[in-house]
Amino acid sequence: MLQLNHVHHIAIICKDYNVSKKFYTEVLGFTIEQEIYRKERDSYKLDLSLNGKYVIELFSFPDPPLRPSRPEATGLRHIAFEVNDIDATIAVLNQHHVIAEPIRIDEFTGKKFTFIADPDNLPIEFYEK
């Protein structure tokens, strides 16, 4: 059996680098650890951390194909973040003009959760602790 320690990072390719950079840092609150422009690829790589832990690599590439998010497609379904208070999370998102889906209740845990979409329509879930 493999000895996996934890998820190291999630790589996300965005269409508009500046819009996505602003979304992940100013709306979601990630911290920039490193930003690299790779001239040979005409591409940025932005390393983002959350509470001191490296979590996301945000990439830009010229004209990437769109990701099919709906209807749901094979592959990565969404990323999810634990939050302390789903209502407070939605209030902050609303301040940034990010609309959350109606709150749902997990039928197995009784916990509240909701979804938003990032600027490239990647589904992001917020799950109450």
Side-chain angles (χ1 to χ4, degrees):
M1 174 90 48
L2 288 176
Q3 290 296 118
L4 302 178
N5 295 326
H6 57 87
V7 174
H8 186 265
H9 68 272
I10 300 161
I12 299 172
I13 298 171
C14 63
K15 185 149 185 83
D16 186 322
Y17 179 72
N18 290 320
V19 168
S20 291
K21 177 181 175 182
K22 181 177 181 177
F23 176 81
Y24 281 94
T25 58
E26 295 181 22
V27 176
L28 297 187
F30 283 88
T31 301
I32 297 172
E33 295 297 327
Q34 179 174 237
E35 183 175 33
I36 300 168
Y37 179 71
R38 302 172 311 169
K39 186 177 179 183
E40 70 282 357
R41 293 182 174 192
D42 189 22
S43 167
Y44 280 95
K45 177 182 179 285
L46 185 66
D47 295 335
L48 299 170
S49 65
L50 182 62
N51 300 321
K53 294 187 109 180
Y54 175 59
V55 179
I56 290 179
E57 288 180 344
L58 183 66
F59 291 95
S60 68
F61 292 106
D63 300 315
L66 295 178
R67 175 190 191 279
S69 289
R70 288 180 176 68
E72 292 190 41
T74 301
L76 179 67
R77 185 174 186 187
H78 63 267
I79 58 175
F81 299 103
E82 180 184 89
V83 297
N84 291 326
D85 182 332
I86 201 78
D87 296 305
T89 300
I90 291 170
V92 171
L93 292 168
N94 286 340
Q95 290 172 0
H96 292 279
H97 308 287
V98 176
I99 306 302
E101 292 181 1
I103 294 172
R104 296 186 249 172
I105 306 296
D106 186 312
E107 64 183 298
F108 302 107
T109 66
K111 303 284 185 165
K112 294 192 258 183
F113 67 99
T114 189
F115 283 88
I116 65 166
D118 85 347
D120 292 299
N121 208 28
L122 172 67
I124 298 175
E125 178 182 1
F126 298 98
Y127 195 91
E128 192 169 74
K129 185 175 181 180

